[in-house]
Amino acid sequence: MIKHLLFIFLLGTTSLPNFASTTLKLVSLEYPPYIEVVDNQVTGIAVTLIKEVFQSINQPISIEVLPWARAIAYVKKGRADAIFTAFKTKEREVFLDYNQGVLFDQKIRLVVHSDYANSLSKVAQTSPDYSAYRLCIVNKVSYGPLIDEAIENREFKQVQRTMSSGSCAKMLEAKRIHIWVSNEFGAKNDIAKLGFNESLSLLSPPIQVTPSYIAFSKKKDHTLLIKEFDRVLKQFKDNGRYQEIVDSYFLKVRTKANSTADLIQN
């Protein structure tokens, strides 16, 4: 059954700007930890950020979680006002207006067991030799051209494909593989939830960095709204609120994981 949930976030209408006279409909894909559904509520780092930015400009919004292809179709046809978090492509720029400020730089990172972090640090460098390493990936997920091409060219000793990133984390923690490749926030999310903060490490630098945005349907004129969104987003980054949102999310995840571990031990 396809998950089809609607989260309404309505704000007070006192002294709203003209563009805020109606609720703005946003669509997205469930993509933890950016967007996720917990106890029938839409939450996540990107959701918190989006909500706070629009709250600052007194703009009511709704967020609907959809399969990605359907979400794209909604904004293309004007059935939704905006989509997040979206990569910028020439094809999409035909029917979408992107905000200027980056929502998140989505970094692709290699994750290794902490016992071998020093010896494996070379695999995060330019032109690495992967031939001695077993890799874990989530099936059908792209990790950018560098890793995708290395996999296609059979540069790894072995590639283990799983149905979830958490499965890769568990295999790495058990030392059944050498490397797990993941989006940085996704990896941190899994590591914190599984209580693997001491045993797993993210290598630097990132293999690839791809900026993601909120993008608005060209079926309506959102010029003023985009300008206001970018103004507040920059303000959040300048005054530290942006980083607070990110840090607060992972602190909650780690605290919950530690509490669960304590209950199990007791």
Side-chain angles (χ1 to χ4, degrees):
M1 180 177 180
I2 296 176
K3 190 174 292 181
H4 187 86
L5 298 171
L6 180 65
F7 171 79
I8 304 292
F9 178 63
L10 296 177
L11 305 165
T13 57
T14 305
S15 302
L16 292 178
N18 291 334
F19 60 72
S21 59
T22 59
T23 298
L24 196 76
K25 181 176 180 179
L26 311 183
V27 289
S28 189
L29 167 76
E30 185 167 15
Y31 183 42
Y34 297 97
I35 305 100
E36 55 187 329
V37 180
V38 179
D39 297 329
N40 294 321
Q41 297 293 319
V42 181
T43 184
I45 300 172
V47 172
T48 300
L49 176 63
I50 291 290
K51 285 168 53 178
E52 289 199 18
V53 171
F54 281 117
Q55 184 176 14
S56 294
I57 57 178
N58 296 319
Q59 171 61 63
I61 66 170
S62 71
I63 300 175
E64 189 171 7
V65 176
L66 298 168
W68 189 245
R70 188 184 304 175
I72 289 289
Y74 271 36
V75 286
K76 186 175 184 178
K77 296 176 182 178
R79 293 183 60 182
D81 294 290
I83 187 170
F84 70 101
T85 59
F87 294 152
K88 186 181 293 186
T89 67
K90 290 183 179 180
E91 179 185 4
R92 292 175 185 173
E93 286 183 291
V94 173
F95 56 89
L96 291 175
D97 288 322
Y98 287 78
N99 75 304
Q100 293 298 311
V102 175
L103 277 185
F104 297 97
D105 278 320
Q106 298 196 24
K107 301 175 182 178
I108 301 301
R109 299 283 289 270
L110 300 183
V111 191
V112 301
H113 199 285
S114 298
D115 288 349
Y116 308 118
N118 289 334
S119 61
L120 293 178
S121 61
K122 60 185 178 182
V123 299
Q125 299 172 2
T126 305
S127 302
D129 179 3
Y130 295 124
S131 61
Y133 306 117
R134 295 190 297 274
L135 174 75
C136 186
I137 60 172
V138 178
N139 196 34
K140 303 298 184 181
V141 172
S142 171
Y143 296 98
L146 295 178
I147 288 294
D148 289 354
E149 289 175 11
I151 293 171
E152 184 177 353
N153 294 335
R154 301 179 181 274
E155 294 180 24
F156 289 91
K157 181 178 181 179
Q158 180 183 353
V159 175
Q160 179 71 46
R161 291 174 169 82
T162 68
M163 296 305 295
S164 72
S165 56
S167 296
C168 284
K170 292 175 183 177
M171 291 178 65
L172 184 60
E173 204 275 338
K175 300 182 180 179
R176 294 172 53 195
I177 58 169
H178 299 104
I179 303 169
W180 161 35
V181 61
S182 175
N183 173 286
E184 179 177 319
F185 280 3
K188 288 183 176 179
N189 187 51
D190 285 326
I191 289 170
K193 285 183 175 179
L194 292 169
F196 292 164
N197 289 289
E198 299 299 322
S199 55
L200 301 187
S201 299
L202 281 70
L203 297 182
S204 293
I207 295 299
Q208 186 170 0
V209 179
T210 304
S212 61
Y213 307 84
I214 182 169
F216 295 79
S217 174
K218 287 188 175 181
K219 291 294 184 179
K220 296 180 182 179
D221 183 6
H222 295 104
T223 303
L224 177 59
L225 183 58
I226 295 172
K227 182 178 179 180
E228 284 297 289
F229 185 95
D230 276 325
R231 178 185 65 80
V232 176
L233 179 61
K234 183 179 185 303
Q235 184 181 76
F236 278 20
K237 290 182 177 182
D238 290 344
N239 66 20
R241 180 54 190 155
Y242 180 96
Q243 192 60 46
E244 285 179 359
I245 290 172
V246 174
D247 293 342
S248 176
Y249 175 87
F250 287 111
L251 177 61
K252 289 178 182 178
V253 171
R254 287 193 296 269
T255 300
K256 184 177 180 179
N258 291 337
S259 298
T260 301
D262 289 342
L263 286 173
I264 293 174
Q265 291 176 0
N266 294 331

